[in-house]
C-alpha cells in the first residue's frame, strides 16, 4: 500500500448526517478524533443528532456544514440528491465532496439499482458541482455496524473512485476511510465506474437478508 496523507486535522462535514448512514460515519470519525459537523436542512435537527452522538460533533444547516468543512460527505437520500447539491454548489466549490449515495429502488423482489441519467450518483454530483473535486466512497459500509457501540473494528474495504488526474483527492479519502479501525481505503478506479459500486449495494442487501448479516467486501492480494 502507498503512504497516505495525514487527515487527522481536517474537519469532516456530513450532509444528511441525521440519517443512519450519515450519523454512523459521523460517530466513527468523531471517535477517531476528527472534527465532525452534521448537516441537515434544519439546523436544530442537525444539532439534536450531534448531541446524541457527543464526542464534540456539531450540527448546522447544510450550507453552514458545507462552508465550515474541509471534506464534505454526501449521505442524503437519493430522492433529494440532485436538489441538495444544486442548492449548495457555491458552498461546495473548491472542496473535496465524497458521494456515498446509492440510487436504489425496492419492490416485492427486494432492492434493485436505478438507472441514473449521468451514469451514477457520483457522476451526477460531478456534473452539478463543476467547481468541486468529487470522489465516490463509503457505499458498502453498514450503518448498523457503524452505530453499534459493541463493534470496535469494522472488517471492510472501502472502494474510493475519482478522476484519474486528481490522486490527491482519492488519497485523502482513502486516508479518511482508514481512520475507522479495521477499514482499508482502496483505490477503485475512475468516477465513470461508480455505477457498479453503487449498484452492488442491492446485492449486499440481498446477502444480508438471506444470511442475517451485515456483509461488506474485502479484496484479496492487495
Amino acid at each position: 500500500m502507498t503512504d497516505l496523507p495525514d487527515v487527522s486535522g481536517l474537519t469532516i462535514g456530513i450532509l444528511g448526517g441525521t440519517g443512519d448512514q450519515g450519523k454512523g460515519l459521523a460517530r466513527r470519525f468523531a471517535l477517531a478524533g476528527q472534527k465532525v459537523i452534521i448537516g441537515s436542512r434544519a439546523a436544530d435537527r442537525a444539532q439534536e443528532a450531534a448531541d446524541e452522538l457527543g464526542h464534540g460533533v456539531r450540527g448546522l444547516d447544510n450550507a453552514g456544514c458545507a462552508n465550515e468543512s474541509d471534506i464534505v460527505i454526501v449521505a442524503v437520500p437519493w430522492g433529494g440528491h440532485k436538489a441538495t447539491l444544486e442548492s449548495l454548489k457555491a458552498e461546495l466549490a473548491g472542496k473535496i465532496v465524497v458521494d456515498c449515495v446509492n440510487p436504489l429502488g425496492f419492490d416485492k423482489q427486494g432492492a434493485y439499482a436505478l438507472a441514473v441519467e449521468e451514469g451514477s450518483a457520483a457522476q451526477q454530483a460531478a456534473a452539478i458541482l463543476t467547481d468541486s473535486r468529487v470522489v465516490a466512497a463509503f457505499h458498502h459500509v453498514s450503518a448498523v455496524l457503524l452505530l453499534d457501540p459493541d463493534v470496535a473494528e469494522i472488517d471492510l474495504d472501502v472502494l474510493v473512485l475519482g478522476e484519474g488526474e486528481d490522486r490527491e483527492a482519492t488519497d485523502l479519502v482513502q486516508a479518511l476511510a482508514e481512520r475507522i479501525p479495521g477499514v482499508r481505503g482502496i483505490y477503485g478506479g475512475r468516477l465513470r465506474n461508480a455505477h457498479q459500486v453503487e449498484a452492488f449495494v442491492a446485492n449486499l442487501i440481498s446477502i444480508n437478508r438471506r444470511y442475517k448479516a451485515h456483509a461488506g467486501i474485502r479484496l484479496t492480494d492487495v
Side-chain angles (χ1 to χ4, degrees), residues 13 15 61-70 72 88 91-92 95:
L15 305 177
D61 64 16
N62 282 331
C65 173
N67 267 323
E68 294 196 27
S69 302
D70 299 306
V72 179
L88 296 170
E91 290 85 353
L92 293 171
K95 297 182 185 285

Side-chain angles (χ1 to χ4, degrees), residues 5 9-11 38 47 59-60 63 65 88 113 125 130 140-141 146 155 163 169 172 181-182 200 205-206 213 222:
L10 299 181
T11 298
I38 280 177
Q47 189 57 53
L60 295 172
C65 173
L88 296 170
T130 52
H140 303 144
V141 56
L146 289 172
D155 184 20
E163 295 308 335
L172 283 167
F200 186 65
I205 290 171
S206 298
V222 178

Side-chain angles (χ1 to χ4, degrees), residues 14-136:
I14 302 181
L15 305 177
T18 58
D20 287 345
Q21 190 78 3
K23 197 185 296 184
L25 288 169
R27 176 178 178 273
R28 292 290 169 167
F29 291 134
L31 285 171
Q34 300 287 153
K35 292 179 181 176
V36 178
I37 301 172
I38 280 177
S40 178
R41 283 177 295 180
D44 56 344
R45 280 193 65 213
Q47 189 57 53
E48 187 179 317
D51 290 342
E52 279 180 42
L53 293 174
H55 302 289
V57 177
R58 298 163 57 209
L60 295 172
D61 64 16
N62 282 331
C65 173
N67 267 323
E68 294 196 27
S69 302
D70 299 306
I71 295 178
V72 179
I73 297 173
V74 181
V76 300
W78 169 241
H81 184 263
K82 186 174 185 178
T84 299
L85 296 184
E86 285 176 340
S87 72
L88 296 170
K89 181 170 180 174
E91 290 85 353
L92 293 171
K95 297 182 185 285
I96 293 174
V97 177
V98 185
D99 202 298
C100 68
V101 175
N102 303 305
L104 298 178
F106 296 87
D107 61 17
K108 290 180 180 178
Q109 297 182 59
Y112 61 95
L114 297 174
V116 179
E117 183 180 350
E118 296 85 354
S120 64
Q123 288 169 289
Q124 183 182 88
I128 296 166
L129 304 174
T130 52
D131 297 319
S132 303
R133 303 159 72 189
V134 176
V135 174

